[in-house]
Amino acid sequence: NAQNIVASIISALLWIVGAVGVIMIVIAGIKYTTSNGDSNKIQSAKNTLLYAIIGVVVAILGQAIIIFVVDQLS
């Protein structure tokens, strides 16, 4: 079934995006703890964390939308 194949591919891609987002959250934490009080490094770490969280949320919402659409088409 073509719908299931497309849904599986998109699901795998969104899973990868989510995994990368979690890795970026860890990197942001490392950047924050190694900033040594430098305000530019702290701001960079906060921005990395913010963008990583937004990416994970978008991946989760994308997954939910795909599941909903595939269920409606089936």
Side-chain angles (χ1 to χ4, degrees), residues 20-25 28 47-57:
V20 170
V22 170
I23 292 169
M24 290 306 295
I25 290 171
N47 286 340
T48 302
L49 180 62
L50 176 66
Y51 299 144
I53 290 173
I54 289 171
V56 169
V57 169

Side-chain angles (χ1 to χ4, degrees), residues 8-52:
S8 296
I9 292 170
I10 294 173
S11 176
L13 291 174
L14 289 174
W15 187 87
I16 292 169
V17 168
V20 170
V22 170
I23 292 169
M24 290 306 295
I25 290 171
V26 171
I27 291 172
I30 292 170
K31 285 173 65 173
Y32 189 77
T33 57
T34 60
S35 66
N36 292 328
D38 183 6
S39 62
N40 290 333
K41 290 182 180 179
I42 291 172
Q43 189 62 40
S44 173
K46 286 181 181 180
N47 286 340
T48 302
L49 180 62
L50 176 66
Y51 299 144

